[in-house]
mmCIF file of all heavy atoms in Angstrom:
data_model
loop_
_atom_site.group_PDB
_atom_site.id
_atom_site.type_symbol
_atom_site.label_atom_id
_atom_site.label_comp_id
_atom_site.label_asym_id
_atom_site.label_seq_id
_atom_site.Cartn_x
_atom_site.Cartn_y
_atom_site.Cartn_z
ATOM 1 N N PHE A 71 0.911 19.469 -1.745
ATOM 2 C CA PHE A 71 1.459 19.945 -0.473
ATOM 3 C C PHE A 71 2.589 20.951 -0.711
ATOM 4 O O PHE A 71 2.640 22.009 -0.082
ATOM 5 C CB PHE A 71 1.960 18.748 0.337
ATOM 6 C CG PHE A 71 2.629 19.104 1.633
ATOM 7 C CD1 PHE A 71 1.920 19.723 2.654
ATOM 8 C CD2 PHE A 71 3.966 18.802 1.838
ATOM 9 C CE1 PHE A 71 2.536 20.038 3.867
ATOM 10 C CE2 PHE A 71 4.586 19.111 3.044
ATOM 11 C CZ PHE A 71 3.875 19.732 4.055
ATOM 12 N N PHE A 74 1.228 24.251 -1.861
ATOM 13 C CA PHE A 74 0.691 24.987 -0.714
ATOM 14 C C PHE A 74 1.834 25.673 0.043
ATOM 15 O O PHE A 74 1.748 26.855 0.384
ATOM 16 C CB PHE A 74 -0.067 24.034 0.221
ATOM 17 C CG PHE A 74 -0.511 24.686 1.502
ATOM 18 C CD1 PHE A 74 -1.699 25.396 1.553
ATOM 19 C CD2 PHE A 74 0.269 24.598 2.655
ATOM 20 C CE1 PHE A 74 -2.101 26.028 2.731
ATOM 21 C CE2 PHE A 74 -0.126 25.223 3.832
ATOM 22 C CZ PHE A 74 -1.311 25.936 3.874
ATOM 23 N N ASN A 75 2.903 24.928 0.304
ATOM 24 C CA ASN A 75 4.036 25.498 1.042
ATOM 25 C C ASN A 75 4.678 26.661 0.295
ATOM 26 O O ASN A 75 5.086 27.648 0.918
ATOM 27 C CB ASN A 75 5.092 24.415 1.314
ATOM 28 C CG ASN A 75 4.742 23.556 2.513
ATOM 29 O OD1 ASN A 75 3.799 23.853 3.255
ATOM 30 N ND2 ASN A 75 5.482 22.484 2.712
ATOM 31 N N LYS A 77 3.212 28.796 -1.659
ATOM 32 C CA LYS A 77 2.360 29.972 -1.456
ATOM 33 C C LYS A 77 2.550 30.543 -0.059
ATOM 34 O O LYS A 77 2.630 31.754 0.133
ATOM 35 C CB LYS A 77 0.890 29.605 -1.659
ATOM 36 C CG LYS A 77 0.508 29.356 -3.099
ATOM 37 C CD LYS A 77 -0.944 28.969 -3.217
ATOM 38 C CE LYS A 77 -1.223 28.470 -4.624
ATOM 39 N NZ LYS A 77 -2.322 27.541 -4.709
ATOM 40 N N ARG A 78 2.626 29.661 0.931
ATOM 41 C CA ARG A 78 2.725 30.116 2.315
ATOM 42 C C ARG A 78 4.058 30.801 2.600
ATOM 43 O O ARG A 78 4.097 31.781 3.329
ATOM 44 C CB ARG A 78 2.524 28.941 3.288
ATOM 45 C CG ARG A 78 1.160 28.317 3.232
ATOM 46 C CD ARG A 78 0.032 29.339 3.358
ATOM 47 N NE ARG A 78 -0.078 29.859 4.705
ATOM 48 C CZ ARG A 78 -0.610 31.029 5.015
ATOM 49 N NH1 ARG A 78 -1.074 31.817 4.082
ATOM 50 N NH2 ARG A 78 -0.670 31.424 6.259
ATOM 51 N N ILE A 79 5.161 30.290 2.026
ATOM 52 C CA ILE A 79 6.447 30.921 2.328
ATOM 53 C C ILE A 79 6.506 32.321 1.725
ATOM 54 O O ILE A 79 7.106 33.233 2.294
ATOM 55 C CB ILE A 79 7.648 30.047 1.884
ATOM 56 C CG1 ILE A 79 8.895 30.451 2.680
ATOM 57 C CG2 ILE A 79 7.888 30.131 0.387
ATOM 58 C CD1 ILE A 79 10.044 29.485 2.568
ATOM 59 N N VAL A 80 5.846 32.517 0.589
ATOM 60 C CA VAL A 80 5.779 33.857 -0.007
ATOM 61 C C VAL A 80 4.931 34.768 0.885
ATOM 62 O O VAL A 80 5.322 35.902 1.185
ATOM 63 C CB VAL A 80 5.206 33.789 -1.447
ATOM 64 C CG1 VAL A 80 4.885 35.180 -1.970
ATOM 65 C CG2 VAL A 80 6.187 33.072 -2.375
ATOM 66 N N GLU A 81 3.776 34.249 1.337
ATOM 67 C CA GLU A 81 2.902 35.040 2.205
ATOM 68 C C GLU A 81 3.569 35.362 3.539
ATOM 69 O O GLU A 81 3.293 36.404 4.138
ATOM 70 C CB GLU A 81 1.583 34.296 2.450
ATOM 71 C CG GLU A 81 0.717 34.240 1.202
ATOM 72 C CD GLU A 81 -0.442 33.261 1.317
ATOM 73 O OE1 GLU A 81 -0.684 32.714 2.422
ATOM 74 O OE2 GLU A 81 -1.109 33.022 0.295
ATOM 75 N N HIS A 82 4.466 34.486 4.000
ATOM 76 C CA HIS A 82 5.187 34.715 5.264
ATOM 77 C C HIS A 82 6.518 35.427 5.044
ATOM 78 O O HIS A 82 7.362 35.456 5.943
ATOM 79 C CB HIS A 82 5.439 33.380 5.983
ATOM 80 C CG HIS A 82 4.235 32.821 6.675
ATOM 81 N ND1 HIS A 82 3.575 33.479 7.686
ATOM 82 C CD2 HIS A 82 3.576 31.653 6.505
ATOM 83 C CE1 HIS A 82 2.562 32.739 8.117
ATOM 84 N NE2 HIS A 82 2.532 31.634 7.397
ATOM 85 N N HIS A 83 6.720 35.990 3.858
ATOM 86 C CA HIS A 83 7.931 36.761 3.532
ATOM 87 C C HIS A 83 9.212 35.969 3.805
ATOM 88 O O HIS A 83 10.177 36.495 4.371
ATOM 89 C CB HIS A 83 7.945 38.087 4.294
ATOM 90 C CG HIS A 83 6.688 38.876 4.101
ATOM 91 N ND1 HIS A 83 6.360 39.496 2.909
ATOM 92 C CD2 HIS A 83 5.649 39.104 4.944
ATOM 93 C CE1 HIS A 83 5.181 40.087 3.028
ATOM 94 N NE2 HIS A 83 4.727 39.863 4.252
ATOM 95 N N GLY A 84 9.189 34.691 3.419
ATOM 96 C CA GLY A 84 10.395 33.880 3.521
ATOM 97 C C GLY A 84 10.561 33.136 4.838
ATOM 98 O O GLY A 84 11.568 32.443 5.021
ATOM 99 N N ASP A 85 9.608 33.237 5.742
ATOM 100 C CA ASP A 85 9.733 32.560 7.047
ATOM 101 C C ASP A 85 9.484 31.059 6.878
ATOM 102 O O ASP A 85 8.342 30.595 6.825
ATOM 103 C CB ASP A 85 8.739 33.164 8.048
ATOM 104 C CG ASP A 85 8.934 32.636 9.467
ATOM 105 O OD1 ASP A 85 9.459 31.513 9.628
ATOM 106 O OD2 ASP A 85 8.546 33.345 10.416
ATOM 107 N N TYR A 86 10.569 30.308 6.803
ATOM 108 C CA TYR A 86 10.527 28.861 6.571
ATOM 109 C C TYR A 86 9.787 28.135 7.690
ATOM 110 O O TYR A 86 9.046 27.192 7.451
ATOM 111 C CB TYR A 86 11.967 28.344 6.446
ATOM 112 C CG TYR A 86 12.079 26.862 6.232
ATOM 113 C CD1 TYR A 86 11.845 26.306 4.977
ATOM 114 C CD2 TYR A 86 12.440 26.017 7.281
ATOM 115 C CE1 TYR A 86 11.963 24.944 4.769
ATOM 116 C CE2 TYR A 86 12.560 24.642 7.074
ATOM 117 C CZ TYR A 86 12.323 24.118 5.817
ATOM 118 O OH TYR A 86 12.437 22.763 5.622
ATOM 119 N N TRP A 87 9.977 28.585 8.915
ATOM 120 C CA TRP A 87 9.411 27.902 10.079
ATOM 121 C C TRP A 87 7.898 28.114 10.162
ATOM 122 O O TRP A 87 7.156 27.177 10.491
ATOM 123 C CB TRP A 87 10.131 28.376 11.343
ATOM 124 C CG TRP A 87 11.618 28.313 11.145
ATOM 125 C CD1 TRP A 87 12.455 29.369 10.912
ATOM 126 C CD2 TRP A 87 12.422 27.136 11.089
ATOM 127 N NE1 TRP A 87 13.743 28.916 10.733
ATOM 128 C CE2 TRP A 87 13.754 27.555 10.833
ATOM 129 C CE3 TRP A 87 12.160 25.774 11.238
ATOM 130 C CZ2 TRP A 87 14.810 26.660 10.728
ATOM 131 C CZ3 TRP A 87 13.212 24.876 11.126
ATOM 132 C CH2 TRP A 87 14.521 25.317 10.867
ATOM 133 N N ALA A 88 7.434 29.310 9.837
ATOM 134 C CA ALA A 88 5.982 29.562 9.797
ATOM 135 C C ALA A 88 5.338 28.740 8.689
ATOM 136 O O ALA A 88 4.236 28.208 8.844
ATOM 137 C CB ALA A 88 5.713 31.055 9.597
ATOM 138 N N MET A 89 6.051 28.623 7.558
ATOM 139 C CA MET A 89 5.545 27.799 6.453
ATOM 140 C C MET A 89 5.377 26.344 6.903
ATOM 141 O O MET A 89 4.379 25.699 6.592
ATOM 142 C CB MET A 89 6.522 27.854 5.272
ATOM 143 C CG MET A 89 6.151 26.961 4.098
ATOM 144 S SD MET A 89 7.587 26.471 3.091
ATOM 145 C CE MET A 89 8.275 25.146 4.099
ATOM 146 N N GLN A 90 6.335 25.840 7.672
ATOM 147 C CA GLN A 90 6.257 24.449 8.142
ATOM 148 C C GLN A 90 5.045 24.248 9.053
ATOM 149 O O GLN A 90 4.353 23.232 8.953
ATOM 150 C CB GLN A 90 7.547 24.054 8.880
ATOM 151 C CG GLN A 90 8.754 23.875 7.986
ATOM 152 C CD GLN A 90 8.636 22.676 7.064
ATOM 153 O OE1 GLN A 90 7.818 21.793 7.243
ATOM 154 N NE2 GLN A 90 9.483 22.644 6.043
ATOM 155 N N MET A 91 4.767 25.200 9.936
ATOM 156 C CA MET A 91 3.602 25.078 10.825
ATOM 157 C C MET A 91 2.309 25.086 10.020
ATOM 158 O O MET A 91 1.410 24.279 10.262
ATOM 159 C CB MET A 91 3.594 26.211 11.866
ATOM 160 C CG MET A 91 4.589 26.039 12.988
ATOM 161 S SD MET A 91 4.476 24.485 13.925
ATOM 162 C CE MET A 91 2.805 24.508 14.550
ATOM 163 N N ASP A 92 2.213 25.977 9.045
ATOM 164 C CA ASP A 92 1.026 26.009 8.182
ATOM 165 C C ASP A 92 0.913 24.718 7.373
ATOM 166 O O ASP A 92 -0.182 24.206 7.143
ATOM 167 C CB ASP A 92 1.081 27.201 7.221
ATOM 168 C CG ASP A 92 0.837 28.528 7.917
ATOM 169 O OD1 ASP A 92 0.488 28.522 9.118
ATOM 170 O OD2 ASP A 92 0.995 29.567 7.266
ATOM 171 N N GLY A 93 2.070 24.203 6.937
ATOM 172 C CA GLY A 93 2.094 22.965 6.161
ATOM 173 C C GLY A 93 1.556 21.789 6.960
ATOM 174 O O GLY A 93 0.841 20.937 6.427
ATOM 175 N N LEU A 94 1.890 21.733 8.250
ATOM 176 C CA LEU A 94 1.367 20.668 9.104
ATOM 177 C C LEU A 94 -0.162 20.741 9.157
ATOM 178 O O LEU A 94 -0.846 19.732 8.980
ATOM 179 C CB LEU A 94 1.935 20.787 10.521
ATOM 180 C CG LEU A 94 1.271 19.853 11.547
ATOM 181 C CD1 LEU A 94 1.616 18.398 11.273
ATOM 182 C CD2 LEU A 94 1.649 20.251 12.962
ATOM 183 N N GLU A 95 -0.683 21.933 9.380
ATOM 184 C CA GLU A 95 -2.142 22.132 9.461
ATOM 185 C C GLU A 95 -2.816 21.650 8.170
ATOM 186 O O GLU A 95 -3.800 20.916 8.199
ATOM 187 C CB GLU A 95 -2.429 23.617 9.680
ATOM 188 C CG GLU A 95 -3.860 23.956 9.926
ATOM 189 C CD GLU A 95 -4.229 23.939 11.396
ATOM 190 O OE1 GLU A 95 -3.429 24.351 12.224
ATOM 191 O OE2 GLU A 95 -5.334 23.463 11.673
ATOM 192 N N TYR A 96 -2.249 22.075 7.045
ATOM 193 C CA TYR A 96 -2.788 21.688 5.734
ATOM 194 C C TYR A 96 -2.744 20.174 5.555
ATOM 195 O O TYR A 96 -3.717 19.548 5.147
ATOM 196 C CB TYR A 96 -1.987 22.378 4.620
ATOM 197 C CG TYR A 96 -2.253 21.833 3.232
ATOM 198 C CD1 TYR A 96 -3.262 22.370 2.442
ATOM 199 C CD2 TYR A 96 -1.502 20.790 2.713
ATOM 200 C CE1 TYR A 96 -3.515 21.873 1.162
ATOM 201 C CE2 TYR A 96 -1.737 20.280 1.452
ATOM 202 C CZ TYR A 96 -2.744 20.828 0.673
ATOM 203 O OH TYR A 96 -2.983 20.320 -0.579
ATOM 204 N N TYR A 121 11.521 21.206 -5.611
ATOM 205 C CA TYR A 121 10.895 21.874 -4.466
ATOM 206 C C TYR A 121 11.957 22.461 -3.529
ATOM 207 O O TYR A 121 11.872 23.624 -3.133
ATOM 208 C CB TYR A 121 10.012 20.878 -3.713
ATOM 209 C CG TYR A 121 9.500 21.372 -2.383
ATOM 210 C CD1 TYR A 121 8.527 22.372 -2.319
ATOM 211 C CD2 TYR A 121 9.976 20.841 -1.185
ATOM 212 C CE1 TYR A 121 8.047 22.824 -1.098
ATOM 213 C CE2 TYR A 121 9.498 21.285 0.034
ATOM 214 C CZ TYR A 121 8.538 22.276 0.080
ATOM 215 O OH TYR A 121 8.070 22.726 1.285
ATOM 216 N N ALA A 129 13.394 31.189 0.813
ATOM 217 C CA ALA A 129 13.420 31.229 2.282
ATOM 218 C C ALA A 129 14.347 32.349 2.749
ATOM 219 O O ALA A 129 15.361 32.642 2.111
ATOM 220 C CB ALA A 129 13.895 29.893 2.838
ATOM 221 N N ASP A 130 13.989 32.946 3.856
ATOM 222 C CA ASP A 130 14.866 33.932 4.499
ATOM 223 C C ASP A 130 15.949 33.156 5.246
ATOM 224 O O ASP A 130 15.701 32.600 6.306
ATOM 225 C CB ASP A 130 14.046 34.796 5.465
ATOM 226 C CG ASP A 130 14.909 35.820 6.194
ATOM 227 O OD1 ASP A 130 16.123 35.895 5.914
ATOM 228 O OD2 ASP A 130 14.356 36.520 7.063
ATOM 229 N N MET A 134 20.592 31.578 8.945
ATOM 230 C CA MET A 134 20.844 30.144 8.836
ATOM 231 C C MET A 134 22.277 29.876 8.401
ATOM 232 O O MET A 134 22.886 30.686 7.704
ATOM 233 C CB MET A 134 19.894 29.494 7.822
ATOM 234 C CG MET A 134 18.470 29.369 8.273
ATOM 235 S SD MET A 134 17.550 28.361 7.066
ATOM 236 C CE MET A 134 15.897 28.524 7.697
ATOM 237 N N CYS A 149 12.508 17.944 8.453
ATOM 238 C CA CYS A 149 11.143 18.466 8.588
ATOM 239 C C CYS A 149 10.127 17.461 8.044
ATOM 240 O O CYS A 149 9.044 17.297 8.606
ATOM 241 C CB CYS A 149 11.006 19.807 7.868
ATOM 242 S SG CYS A 149 11.870 21.149 8.720
ATOM 243 N N PHE A 173 5.160 19.140 17.263
ATOM 244 C CA PHE A 173 5.747 19.536 15.983
ATOM 245 C C PHE A 173 6.473 20.873 16.125
ATOM 246 O O PHE A 173 7.599 21.032 15.649
ATOM 247 C CB PHE A 173 4.640 19.638 14.926
ATOM 248 C CG PHE A 173 5.135 19.881 13.528
ATOM 249 C CD1 PHE A 173 5.625 18.842 12.749
ATOM 250 C CD2 PHE A 173 5.085 21.151 12.978
ATOM 251 C CE1 PHE A 173 6.062 19.061 11.451
ATOM 252 C CE2 PHE A 173 5.529 21.391 11.681
ATOM 253 C CZ PHE A 173 6.016 20.342 10.911
ATOM 254 N N ALA A 174 5.842 21.826 16.811
ATOM 255 C CA ALA A 174 6.451 23.147 17.017
ATOM 256 C C ALA A 174 7.735 23.041 17.837
ATOM 257 O O ALA A 174 8.728 23.714 17.540
ATOM 258 C CB ALA A 174 5.459 24.084 17.702
ATOM 259 N N LEU A 177 10.406 21.643 15.582
ATOM 260 C CA LEU A 177 10.890 22.704 14.684
ATOM 261 C C LEU A 177 11.813 23.667 15.411
ATOM 262 O O LEU A 177 12.827 24.111 14.867
ATOM 263 C CB LEU A 177 9.705 23.491 14.107
ATOM 264 C CG LEU A 177 8.945 22.912 12.926
ATOM 265 C CD1 LEU A 177 7.872 23.898 12.480
ATOM 266 C CD2 LEU A 177 9.857 22.565 11.763
ATOM 267 N N SER A 178 11.458 23.988 16.650
ATOM 268 C CA SER A 178 12.268 24.916 17.440
ATOM 269 C C SER A 178 13.679 24.376 17.656
ATOM 270 O O SER A 178 14.662 25.100 17.522
ATOM 271 C CB SER A 178 11.579 25.165 18.788
ATOM 272 O OG SER A 178 12.381 25.993 19.591
ATOM 273 N N LYS A 181 15.463 24.616 14.341
ATOM 274 C CA LYS A 181 15.800 26.011 14.051
ATOM 275 C C LYS A 181 17.075 26.406 14.797
ATOM 276 O O LYS A 181 17.974 27.009 14.225
ATOM 277 C CB LYS A 181 14.635 26.915 14.456
ATOM 278 C CG LYS A 181 14.846 28.373 14.130
ATOM 279 C CD LYS A 181 13.605 29.168 14.469
ATOM 280 C CE LYS A 181 13.774 30.629 14.129
ATOM 281 N NZ LYS A 181 12.583 31.423 14.441
#
Side-chain angles (χ1 to χ4, degrees):
F71 176 64
F74 173 85
N75 279 351
K77 288 179 191 153
R78 296 309 288 156
I79 202 167
V80 169
E81 290 167 8
H82 283 299
H83 307 289
D85 187 335
Y86 179 78
W87 311 104
M89 176 205 79
Q90 288 292 344
M91 284 304 302
D92 287 353
L94 171 69
E95 186 91 38
Y96 168 90
Y121 170 71
D130 179 3
M134 288 188 187
C149 288
F173 187 80
L177 279 183
S178 177
K181 183 176 181 180

